[in-house]
Amino acid sequence: MQQRVAIARAIVRSPAVVLADEPTGALDTATADRVMKVLIDSARSNNAALVVVTHDPAVSSMVDRVFIMDSGILVDAHEDSSC
């Protein structure tokens, strides 16, 4: 419940940027999908940037652009042939 309240607080004021560190980490699959949909829809409707840090491939498949941290360097997943 605290995680959902934190997400609601993050988007209630329509910020220009939302930073989400493992927003679905402790959630079941159905709730995680709903949380990501709310974050993505909110960001799109407010023309905001949504930055999500995750280890979950299901979450990363829902976003427009994916970067991977490789030895402290951000690498665009679409440009990295090993991903």
Side-chain angles (χ1 to χ4, degrees):
M1 183 59 90
Q2 286 179 332
Q3 193 168 11
R4 287 179 242 177
V5 170
I7 291 167
R9 281 182 168 173
I11 62 175
V12 72
R13 293 185 183 244
S14 303
V17 178
V18 175
L19 303 175
D21 184 9
E22 294 287 357
T24 62
L27 303 176
D28 61 89
T29 303
T31 304
D33 287 345
R34 286 194 303 267
V35 164
M36 284 305 299
K37 184 173 179 357
V38 166
L39 286 171
I40 292 167
D41 289 348
S42 175
R44 286 186 178 146
S45 68
N46 292 307
N47 198 29
L50 172 62
V51 179
V52 179
V53 177
T54 188
H55 291 92
D56 186 347
V59 171
S60 63
S61 71
M62 299 174 79
V63 298
D64 296 330
R65 199 159 176 198
V66 176
F67 290 88
I68 297 170
M69 181 71 73
D70 184 11
S71 301
I73 299 169
L74 280 179
V75 178
D76 190 329
H78 297 301
E79 293 175 9
D80 183 6
S81 61
S82 67
C83 298

